[in-house]
Amino acid sequence: MLTLRRAEPGQSKKLSLTSLLTGLVTLVVLLTSSILLIGSYESKKQSLMETTLHLNYYNADRMTKTMDSLFQSMRSSLEYSADTLSDDESLTPKQVDDNLELMRNSSNYFNSIAVLDADGLIRNVVPTSLGSAGNHITSKVGLEALALKKPYISSPYMTQTTNRLIVFMSQPIFSKNGTYRGILSGTFYLQENNILSMIFGDNNVDDSGSYYYIVDSSGHLLYHPDKQLIGEDVSNNKVVQKLMNGESGEQQVRNTRDVEMLAGYSSVPANGWGIVVVSPISVIHHQLMGHLRTILWYSLFPFIILLMGVIFVARKLARPFVYLANLVSRMGKEKIELPEAKPQWSREADLLTKAVLLAVTDIQKQTEEATTDALTGLMNRRSLEYTMSQWITSGQPFSLIVLDVDKFKLVNDTYGHLIGDEVLKHVAKVIVTSFRPDDVCYRYGGEEFIILLAHTRPEEAFTIAERVRRAMEQSRGPIPTQVTISLGIAHYPIHALEREGLLEKADQALYLAKSRGRNQTMVADV
């Protein structure tokens, strides 16, 4: 295949058809792959988020049912014990303490249990180590529970005596005749081992960063992996607000540390508490990155194979057009040896190749006829003028030899024009066989010929001219008499800077040679 011609200075580089086709198809493949990857990413992201939200809601709902059953059991335990204590005149304080201790140890529902009379006096308390028996209760929630005379559960609060964060539950005690006798209270310590940590665990943060927490009906944290947050008011959280309204569901939310989370939440019917299960959205991103890496890994080999196939097809498709482009670009600059037209795999390329080769053959034939002398086969005057103009424009130094057949008119008059033509053919043959491979001979007109010698000084040109002259002198021509030539030499840029002036200088040297007896060579004067 012919290579593309190198761009000349100042000429902008052109994009090859092969590169264009390869680039376009590669771009299409990359864009298509990118669109598919983005689509897969968004689809997978939506699927993972929905799955995580559903799973978190399912877990929250399941834990809510557990919590609801637990709370009902705790309430039933208080109700049963309160009923047992409704008429305790027959029980000694020690027996009451034993009953309370049995209740605390058998269920583990409460960290401490106390009996308060209607005036707020703490009659009994376990564990007894608390030492509050015989004192009047002073906490706001205790007084509120006594005044309410109904089942009660408090929000988390800090006790003044023990500095513990607790939740207070109570059940009213009525005698057999309906007299209000006080309350049976149970407390669990939120920041210590309690029934919640026994059931749900001390640390519920898994490897993915998911965790759950419990809030009460007023929006305070009852349970959280970070125990420092227990008791904190988080009612500003949108999910917690929905739980406070008794709603259950799932949604994307930001936690107290401004981290985006996927939350499933469910309210506990028995006490108005709520459980929230959350997963950081960053987990979804990690899973998505892994998903994309897997897709890219499995797509890499097919993509490379596809790209290689595209390049191969693009090169094969472009090959005939590149060949034709190079072929046409050489027209008018050199003689082109046209190869035999081979069939192309593409119908359009095959038809175009045949048409262009046919056209180039015809153009080349017409060009040769226009630039070649029909009699001698040498280049003609038109071709001479073109070459000289090109060399002068490029500043290339050269010598020019003008030669003329001596007494050619006498040859025509004596032997006729047909023999004269044979003499001219003979002269052309001798000239061609006498000069160097890079030298070019032209028939300028009639019996006059011109030889162009590239990068040749006048003294070198003189040597070549003499060689041609002697060869002609020693040759046997088509007529009995000897055929001789006279020659004149001029050099660019020594003798002239333009084509007409250079030809005139060479003609002057030629006429000088003829005037001095013919059959000799003269160099033009500077």
Side-chain angles (χ1 to χ4, degrees), residues 474-494:
Q474 296 167 7
S475 66
R476 292 176 60 105
I479 59 175
T481 58
Q482 185 184 48
V483 178
T484 62
I485 56 176
S486 298
L487 305 94
I489 299 172
H491 181 271
Y492 169 84
I494 294 175

Side-chain angles (χ1 to χ4, degrees), residues 216-332:
D216 68 5
S217 58
S218 62
H220 291 81
L221 283 172
L222 300 174
Y223 182 79
H224 194 279
D226 185 355
K227 292 186 177 182
Q228 300 299 319
L229 297 178
I230 294 177
E232 186 175 321
D233 185 354
V234 291
S235 57
N236 289 331
N237 187 298
K238 293 180 179 179
V239 166
V240 174
Q241 290 174 357
K242 291 186 177 182
L243 286 171
M244 291 167 64
N245 292 328
E247 299 178 31
S248 299
E250 56 192 48
Q251 75 174 68
Q252 188 173 335
V253 69
R254 289 184 178 274
N255 66 8
T256 54
R257 297 174 181 173
D258 202 34
V259 177
E260 275 194 285
M261 309 293 282
L262 299 174
Y265 54 94
S266 182
S267 62
V268 182
N271 56 11
W273 291 1
I275 297 179
V276 185
V277 179
V278 293
S279 299
I281 203 168
S282 59
V283 174
I284 304 297
H285 294 312
H286 289 317
Q287 293 176 343
L288 286 173
M289 289 300 104
H291 172 69
L292 288 182
R293 281 193 294 269
T294 301
I295 292 178
L296 289 173
W297 176 252
Y298 284 108
S299 302
L300 181 61
F301 183 71
F303 176 77
I304 293 174
I305 297 298
L306 177 61
L307 187 59
M308 291 175 64
V310 165
I311 294 174
F312 173 77
V313 173
R315 291 177 67 88
K316 192 169 183 180
L317 181 63
R319 184 177 294 123
F321 299 101
V322 174
Y323 168 74
L324 293 177
N326 287 326
L327 187 67
V328 172
S329 70
R330 293 170 56 199
M331 287 179 58

Side-chain angles (χ1 to χ4, degrees), residues 1-4 16-19 21-22 311-327 342-346 349-350 352-353:
M1 182 186 292
L2 296 172
T3 56
L4 288 174
S16 69
L17 183 59
T18 304
S19 300
L21 288 175
T22 303
I311 294 174
F312 173 77
V313 173
R315 291 177 67 88
K316 192 169 183 180
L317 181 63
R319 184 177 294 123
F321 299 101
V322 174
Y323 168 74
L324 293 177
N326 287 326
L327 187 67
K342 296 181 180 179
Q344 302 293 334
W345 69 285
S346 168
D350 188 62
L352 184 61
T353 300

Side-chain angles (χ1 to χ4, degrees), residues 67-88:
M67 173 67 73
D68 193 57
S69 297
L70 172 65
F71 189 83
Q72 290 183 23
S73 297
M74 294 170 71
R75 180 59 66 189
S76 296
S77 175
L78 285 175
E79 288 178 358
Y80 174 80
S81 297
D83 186 63
T84 302
L85 296 171
S86 61
D87 192 12
D88 61 350

Side-chain angles (χ1 to χ4, degrees), residues 375 408 412 416-426 443:
L375 178 64
F408 184 69
N412 278 336
H417 287 284
L418 291 178
I419 297 299
D421 289 345
E422 293 300 320
V423 170
L424 292 176
K425 291 180 184 179
H426 172 70
R443 185 183 177 198

